[in-house]
Amino acid sequence: MLENVEKVQERLKSKLTPKRYIHTTGVRYTAAALAMRYGLSVEDASMAGVLHDCAKCFSDDELVRKCLKNNLECTELELRNGFLLHAKLGAYYAKKKYGIENEEIISAIRYHTTGKAGMTPLEAVVFTADYIEPGRKPLPHLEAVRRMAFVDIDEAVYQILDRTLGYLGDKAKTDNNGREIDIHTVEAFKYYRQIHVEKDIKF
Ligand code: FE
Ligand code: FE
């Protein structure tokens, strides 16, 4: 199956910008490393990592159009924030264009941007790898989240969501076009904050 990952990566090379391709490679290997740490299929994590942004090459308008064309249900919030749809369309493309049948991989792609409450291990791995891959431009606390990802992934997910909500919130304050927060992200935050509180560990 790693051969398949290579083939998919090769196909994606011409579809993504060089920057996005480098990010894609970073997520592939980071997801693979996390899969090793947590005893998941390295192949599945690699495939999900390679494909997670396979629909990222479209503008917001194009994403909306393509989702509607393929009868993918879109929420009002997604229609207003088209970029969110690259995850939904990407999951659809993974199945239709890249022949992925494993639903775990499909749903890891589907939720890589928003997260969700109670993610499967593979979903959490791809969500986290997207945030911590080596090519990410340094954000505050990134090094700490990177370390945490290999210690306790639920805690890493909590920290990412905590920062993402903070970041989105800050942005909304300063920018009238600030990003809105998807319901899945809010629910994910509540879920992982609960785990964080119950552990009562001071990381
Ligand atoms: Fe993405
Ligand atoms: Fe990404």
Side-chain angles (χ1 to χ4, degrees):
M1 177 148 168
L2 267 182
E3 276 171 39
N4 293 340
V5 177
E6 294 301 335
K7 277 187 203 148
V8 167
Q9 186 167 327
E10 201 50 45
R11 270 177 74 185
L12 277 170
K13 201 169 189 174
S14 61
K15 299 199 185 299
L16 301 172
T17 62
K19 214 176 122 195
R20 184 64 45 191
Y21 181 76
I22 291 168
H23 165 68
T24 289
T25 312
V27 174
R28 169 189 170 171
Y29 288 110
T30 304
L34 288 169
M36 293 173 196
R37 160 68 179 87
Y38 293 103
L40 310 178
S41 158
V42 171
E43 285 85 354
D44 289 355
S46 304
M47 187 61 99
V50 157
L51 279 170
H52 84 285
D53 273 344
C54 71
K56 187 80 180 189
C57 46
F58 304 116
S59 69
D60 288 9
D61 286 351
E62 282 173 320
L63 283 167
V64 169
R65 222 176 315 123
K66 285 175 191 294
C67 280
L68 296 177
K69 191 181 106 189
N70 291 300
N71 296 318
L72 302 178
E73 266 180 48
C74 303
T75 64
E76 287 293 324
L77 187 138
E78 286 171 334
L79 294 174
R80 286 196 299 271
N81 301 270
F83 73 94
L84 285 173
L85 290 169
H86 81 274
K88 204 173 255 183
L89 188 66
Y92 177 78
Y93 279 179
K95 215 177 218 174
K96 297 287 165 192
K97 292 188 190 267
Y98 297 92
I100 303 301
E101 289 169 356
N102 183 334
E103 289 296 332
E104 286 216 39
I105 296 176
I106 302 292
S107 96
I109 298 168
R110 165 68 185 84
Y111 291 105
H112 85 265
T113 305
T114 58
K116 73 176 171 101
M119 284 190 270
T120 65
L122 188 63
E123 287 167 347
V125 157
V126 175
F127 177 82
T128 304
D130 192 29
Y131 190 87
I132 67 168
E133 63 95 359
R136 274 281 179 220
K137 74 167 182 276
L139 293 164
H141 311 294
L142 182 56
E143 295 309 319
V145 177
R146 280 177 172 155
R147 274 196 302 278
M148 185 54 66
F150 289 88
V151 175
D152 180 331
I153 199 156
D154 286 341
E155 179 63 20
V157 168
Y158 165 72
Q159 291 183 359
I160 293 167
L161 289 165
D162 189 35
R163 258 129 231 173
T164 306
L165 287 178
Y167 170 70
L168 293 171
D170 287 345
K171 223 184 159 195
K173 267 183 230 158
T174 55
D175 180 358
N176 286 335
N177 298 319
R179 290 180 172 185
E180 294 176 274
I181 299 161
D182 189 271
I183 184 71
H184 288 103
T185 307
V186 176
E187 284 172 0
F189 179 65
K190 288 183 194 155
Y191 179 92
Y192 286 96
R193 184 179 53 193
Q194 188 60 30
I195 294 178
H196 166 81
V197 168
E198 277 166 14
K199 267 185 218 142
D200 196 28
I201 300 167
K202 302 280 174 286
F203 285 114

